[in-house]
Amino acid sequence: MNRLAGFTGLPAQIFKISFVAIVDAVLISMFFASTHKHATPLAAVIAAVLIATNFVYFAKFTLPFKFLFPGLVLLVVFVVVPILYTVSMSAFNYKTGNEISKGQAITQLLQTGLAPDAANTTYDMILGKKDGNYAALLTDQVTHDVFIGTEKGTTKLVAGQFKMNTYGIADTAPGFHALTPEETAGADSLISTLKFPLGDGSFAAPQSADVAVRLTQSFVYDKATDTLKNVSLGKTYKDNHDGNYANIADKTDKLLPGWRAFNNFGNYIHLFSDSTVRGPFIGVFIWTVSFAFITVVMMFGVGFLLALALDKKLALRRFYRSILILPYAIPSFMSILIWNGLFNRQFGAINGLFHTNIDWFNSPWLAKGVILLVNLWLGFPYFYLISTGALQAIPAELEEAASIDGAKPRQILRLIKLPLMLQILSPLLISSFAFNFNNFNLIYLLTGGGPTDVLHGKTAGATDILITYTYKTAFGSNEQNLGLACAISMIMFFIVGSLSIWSLRRSKVLDGF
Amino acid sequence: MKTKNLWRHAYIWVLIVFTLFPIYVVIESSFNSTGSLASSSLIPSNLSWVNYKALFNNPAVPYTTWIRNSLIIATANAIISVFIGAASAFAFSRMRFKGRKAGLQTLLLIQVFPSFLALAAIYVMMERVYTVFPSIGLGSLGGLLLIYLGGSMGVNAWLLKGYIDTIPMELDEAARIDGASTVQVYWLIFFPLAAPVLAVTALLSFIGTFNEFVLASLFLQDINRRTVAVGLQQFVGAQFGQNWGPFAAGSLLAAIPLVIVFLSLQRFIIGGLTQGATKG
């Protein structure tokens, strides 16, 4: 086996080790990049892949996994993890306004809860440094009181402790060094972050390089009771366990932003109990199922009939066949966009050809008809091909035996061929149903789910199927409700999954090895 | 017999007209210099190359960039996914190990869940990845490729396993007696033998990626990162009447190579299709 020599022994070992070393180097640097940015889940995934790689390629007994590993890693990280993540997201109130974590929400609420005090106190400010830290000389524009502030606190200065410039603004005090204009310009981005506490919970906040205002903190967070108090209005807000702080006196008075909160089966309950969500969901569900069913029946009918028509030796058979499978060969997204153009009201060839002016995509029923027609165009060649295959698989003896027994061709077709075909093709029919159940491209590119009755506040279009509805729910232009979208995804996982398992059981694929 | 064949011909011709109608309109309007699909007759008029030229000279329509992006991602996905699928299929077909049957079943079940059902989760995940690794996060071709590759093991392992099962075991055994290791059997015996079927699998995966729209449109917002599918959709969706001509030209240019490849390899592709049917 000289031919094999190059693949064994030392060279192979060196090749393997250097390959794994490169992978290790990449993964380790990625690991540190993630920990550096505090992306803990990402770092954990990378570490797991790193450990698994080295284990699989250096342990002795893992031979099959040496082959399976690359695919397995990608499958787990990019298919299984997103599915599990979908499960977890579906249990959270995760939508526009509830996207951040609770800690971030509290920080933001405290920040936005700042308000000028009742007197709108404004200070003329000279920025400088005291003992090496940023400091400010603040002159109240109304009372002309003068304060010196650092980030630690503010003290009032009495006459003699400061000097005023010609504009009546204090600019000199012992230990205080005003910033030069260049230094002020350099500290530009820093100025807005400075706060000079005034001792009573309020503070002077610079608004520009020479003006500061007195801001009071209207919200106070009490960690022990997990409540936010609006000091100026005297209201108390409590965690409503759905991702918001709500007024204890009036539950509809919520503070924004909220956070993504665990709400258990909240999204599912919402889906079935809230009529504004349930209504569209049920409508979409019914159309999804009927669309998938009708379209498969239509495509199968036309394709099967074509298989019968082209079954016998017919002149030009190969030529016909090459033309008729064209829709299957053309990239489907293009075909769908082209059909979209053909049915365009103003410019479309269909209206142009028949001299009509029909607004195909603005009527729910016409739009549905267009969808079925276009999908028939896209799909009948596939059904023709599989029907031909199945017809050839039916033993010729059956047909002969039946005709000897006196069966007419039509009877043979109805009583022998069709039942057998349906039996042979049932796994493919079911998988085609599952495919069309999720035929996102067709709906999204052809009608966009429309027409949508926006005037009556409808969120789902007349031709939306579950997958496009999910897409709109998650990435829509008004509100993005990722939690609800994941809950709908879960229901679809369940439907498509059980259908597939059922059909796999039937076709005995799962026992076949 | 003649009258019996009449319905066949009639039916076939109706379907042929139905099939060719949109194709004809696209070809006609790609050469129509008015650039819109407003023509009410099917007779070609105003023929010119204007639309084709517009594809390559218009900076607002980086058509060549889109084609390049599509080619890069579809080629990379086709090649890598076939290597991954072949290795997995080889292990499942030739080796006996604990969890093999369960593994195959799980693979089949995971495969029936289209990955875009987990769309929202993928989006949020890749958004987070972006903050640390922009080149494989949301908005990047690299990230999109990784998502595509995630599903490749399931699809290709099953497709290829069926083929590998038909390669006689005696070949492996002979090589083993000569002292070959499993890894050698894989690279030196199995891989060359399976080359044709690997090529067809790669082609199918190429076409699939080229066609993919959902994930690509969610992922690739930047106009210069778009694939042909996303680019053309956004382009034609923006101003229908105006952009129709260049769109038709762009679609034709991208579709013709694929259609030629498909038609010339139809024997293999259709063979794979009907095999599944007749096995049931």
Side-chain angles (χ1 to χ4, degrees):
Chain A
M1 288 309 279
N2 275 337
R3 208 161 66 90
L4 296 179
F7 261 79
T8 108
L10 202 58
Q13 278 296 318
I14 291 173
F15 178 75
K16 183 175 97 176
I17 290 172
S18 45
F19 188 75
V20 177
I22 292 170
V23 172
D24 281 356
V26 171
L27 287 176
I28 288 172
S29 71
M30 285 174 75
F31 176 77
F32 283 117
S34 332
T35 48
H36 180 68
K37 295 209 176 169
H38 306 290
T40 317
L42 195 58
V45 169
I46 294 169
V49 174
L50 182 68
I51 293 166
T53 309
N54 288 281
F55 178 74
V56 164
Y57 287 102
F58 290 114
K60 277 256 159 14
F61 62 93
T62 52
L63 185 65
F65 290 99
K66 292 187 170 81
F67 285 88
L68 295 174
F69 189 70
L72 211 55
V73 167
L74 288 164
L75 186 77
V76 169
V77 175
F78 294 105
V79 178
V80 177
V81 169
I83 290 177
L84 296 179
Y85 199 40
T86 305
V87 178
S88 109
M89 272 169 76
S90 76
F92 279 82
N93 178 16
Y94 192 165
K95 59 170 189 276
T96 310
N98 293 69
E99 284 156 324
I100 49 183
S101 69
K102 189 174 178 181
Q104 287 170 315
I106 292 171
T107 314
Q108 283 195 19
L109 283 169
L110 290 177
Q111 266 169 10
T112 52
L114 296 173
D117 68 342
N120 268 326
T121 313
T122 311
Y123 306 98
D124 286 315
M125 178 182 70
I126 301 288
L127 263 183
K129 287 203 171 175
K130 193 187 177 192
D131 305 329
N133 296 317
Y134 280 102
L137 275 179
L138 302 160
T139 312
D140 191 313
Q141 288 182 344
V142 179
T143 62
H144 303 291
D145 287 336
V146 175
F147 304 85
I148 184 158
T150 65
E151 296 205 74
K152 293 200 182 91
T154 312
T155 32
K156 190 172 180 202
L157 299 177
V158 291
Q161 285 180 311
F162 61 88
K163 279 184 190 144
M164 280 190 171
N165 63 13
T166 48
Y167 306 103
I169 299 165
D171 66 348
T172 347
F176 176 82
H177 307 284
L179 294 184
T180 62
E182 290 79 27
E183 284 173 327
T184 311
D188 201 27
S189 61
L190 206 120
I191 290 174
S192 60
T193 65
L194 289 173
K195 283 176 184 175
F196 305 110
L198 292 165
D200 56 351
S202 68
F203 52 85
Q207 301 298 296
S208 66
D210 51 11
V211 173
V213 294
R214 182 176 172 186
L215 295 179
T216 56
Q217 175 82 55
S218 47
F219 282 109
V220 177
Y221 179 61
D222 181 11
K223 203 168 184 183
T225 54
D226 192 17
T227 49
L228 276 169
K229 284 203 178 72
N230 189 327
V231 186
S232 47
L233 297 172
K235 288 182 187 170
T236 306
Y237 294 85
K238 203 170 168 45
D239 183 348
N240 69 353
H241 297 292
D242 195 32
N244 289 89
Y245 282 106
N247 192 340
I248 46 172
D250 173 13
K251 290 243 159 71
T252 57
D253 176 16
K254 292 183 204 165
L255 296 177
L256 290 174
W259 62 92
R260 39 174 205 270
F262 181 72
N263 70 353
N264 219 338
F265 292 104
N267 287 315
Y268 298 92
I269 294 167
H270 196 48
L271 201 54
F272 291 108
S273 63
D274 183 342
S275 63
T276 57
V277 183
R278 184 185 57 202
F281 177 73
I282 289 177
V284 167
F285 183 80
I286 292 171
W287 162 239
T288 308
V289 174
S290 31
F291 156 71
F293 183 76
I294 296 170
T295 200
V296 169
V297 169
M298 276 173 69
M299 294 189 297
F300 176 62
V302 172
F304 176 55
L305 220 62
L306 182 62
L308 289 180
L310 276 174
D311 195 25
K312 294 268 163 53
K313 281 237 175 310
L314 204 69
L316 297 174
R317 183 166 170 264
R318 285 179 62 89
F319 169 72
Y320 288 151
R321 187 185 156 109
S322 299
I323 289 180
L324 290 169
I325 62 169
L326 274 179
Y328 192 59
I330 296 172
S332 62
F333 77 90
M334 284 180 188
S335 319
I336 298 167
L337 286 173
I338 288 163
W339 276 105
N340 180 314
L342 297 180
F343 278 105
N344 186 291
R345 180 182 186 176
Q346 273 178 287
F347 310 105
I350 308 252
N351 274 344
L353 196 64
F354 298 108
H355 298 288
T356 49
N357 187 22
I358 300 169
D359 199 353
W360 297 96
F361 296 123
N362 212 10
S363 138
W365 290 106
L366 283 177
K368 285 176 181 178
V370 170
I371 283 175
L372 289 172
L373 185 83
V374 172
N375 209 30
L376 177 66
W377 187 89
L378 291 165
F380 84 84
Y382 171 76
F383 282 89
Y384 155 65
L385 292 172
I386 61 171
S387 301
T388 310
L391 277 176
Q392 282 159 0
I394 295 174
E397 297 85 50
L398 273 180
E399 200 176 337
E400 282 165 29
S403 61
I404 290 169
D405 286 346
K408 296 192 182 74
R410 202 169 282 254
Q411 285 174 314
I412 293 176
L413 178 67
R414 193 167 56 88
L415 297 173
I416 295 177
K417 281 189 182 168
L418 198 58
L420 268 172
M421 292 267 303
L422 283 175
Q423 198 196 345
I424 293 172
L425 292 178
S426 64
L428 293 181
L429 290 174
I430 291 167
S431 68
S432 176
F433 178 86
F435 173 82
N436 282 297
F437 194 89
N438 290 316
N439 200 338
F440 181 91
N441 278 16
L442 178 73
I443 306 294
Y444 188 77
L445 297 178
L446 193 59
T447 65
T452 312
D453 193 352
V454 189
L455 284 179
H456 291 92
K458 295 275 172 66
T459 48
T463 56
D464 259 325
I465 56 173
L466 280 172
I467 184 84
T468 57
Y469 182 59
T470 314
Y471 188 87
K472 281 183 184 172
T473 309
F475 306 107
S477 44
N478 297 328
E479 193 200 48
Q480 309 195 331
N481 195 336
L482 291 161
L484 185 67
C486 285
I488 303 175
S489 284
M490 289 312 300
I491 293 172
M492 289 164 66
F493 272 144
F494 184 73
I495 295 169
V496 178
S498 39
L499 233 156
S500 308
I501 293 173
W502 177 69
S503 81
L504 291 174
R505 284 254 165 85
R506 260 181 67 108
S507 65
K508 298 196 168 57
V509 176
L510 289 178
D511 320 320
F513 35 84
Chain B
M1 205 58 195
K2 266 269 178 260
T3 49
K4 253 183 92 177
N5 275 348
L6 194 66
W7 76 264
R8 291 172 190 267
H9 281 287
Y11 183 66
I12 289 164
W13 276 102
V14 167
L15 280 185
I16 282 181
V17 171
F18 179 49
T19 302
L20 289 181
F21 172 67
I23 300 173
Y24 174 80
V25 174
V26 168
I27 295 174
E28 199 258 336
S29 47
S30 81
F31 288 106
N32 191 321
S33 63
T34 56
S36 78
L37 34 4
S39 69
S40 57
S41 80
L42 288 178
I43 298 139
S45 56
N46 304 323
L47 295 186
S48 82
W49 291 96
V50 170
N51 295 323
Y52 289 89
K53 284 181 187 148
L55 279 182
F56 297 98
N57 301 328
N58 187 349
V61 190
Y63 181 73
T64 40
T65 312
W66 295 342
I67 290 275
R68 203 192 62 211
N69 290 341
S70 276
L71 287 180
I72 290 174
I73 198 161
T75 312
N77 186 33
I79 293 172
I80 301 174
S81 73
V82 160
F83 271 92
I84 289 171
S88 321
F90 182 77
F92 279 127
S93 170
R94 285 304 200 256
M95 296 175 198
R96 293 294 174 268
F97 52 93
K98 223 178 175 180
R100 173 178 166 275
K101 189 169 173 171
L104 270 170
Q105 290 177 337
T106 317
L107 214 53
L108 199 62
L109 290 182
I110 291 177
Q111 188 209 324
V112 300
F113 296 120
S115 62
F116 60 79
L117 270 185
L119 211 59
I122 289 175
Y123 186 85
V124 174
M125 250 178 71
M126 295 313 268
E127 210 178 21
R128 303 247 164 97
V129 171
Y130 175 81
T131 59
V132 186
F133 308 111
S135 60
I136 55 164
L138 198 69
S140 68
L141 287 174
L144 186 60
L145 177 65
L146 284 173
I147 302 283
Y148 288 156
L149 285 175
S152 64
M153 182 180 178
V155 183
N156 291 338
W158 267 94
L159 235 144
L160 290 168
K161 181 184 166 289
Y163 178 79
I164 299 171
D165 287 343
T166 65
I167 299 176
M169 272 284 204
E170 287 78 34
L171 279 176
D172 303 27
E173 278 154 20
R176 267 172 209 284
I177 290 166
D178 285 346
S181 71
T182 312
V183 179
Q184 288 169 332
V185 169
Y186 175 71
W187 284 110
L188 300 170
I189 311 247
F190 156 73
F191 217 76
L193 272 176
V197 81
L198 293 181
V200 171
T201 313
L203 180 78
L204 285 177
S205 144
F206 181 93
I207 293 175
T209 317
F210 200 84
N211 249 326
E212 204 283 328
F213 178 78
V214 196
L215 286 167
S217 75
L218 192 66
F219 246 74
L220 310 169
Q221 304 285 339
D222 183 63
I223 191 165
N224 283 314
R225 294 244 174 100
R226 285 176 192 158
T227 57
V228 177
V230 183
L232 284 178
Q233 189 266 339
Q234 305 265 321
F235 170 60
V236 81
Q239 277 170 311
F240 217 108
Q242 217 179 327
N243 295 340
W244 176 256
F247 164 77
S251 304
L252 271 180
L253 279 188
I256 286 172
L258 284 180
V259 171
I260 291 173
V261 171
F262 186 93
L263 290 183
S264 48
L265 291 178
Q266 56 169 302
R267 208 157 50 87
F268 300 103
I269 296 169
I270 292 163
L273 272 183
T274 42
Q275 190 192 25
T278 48
K279 257 189 175 171

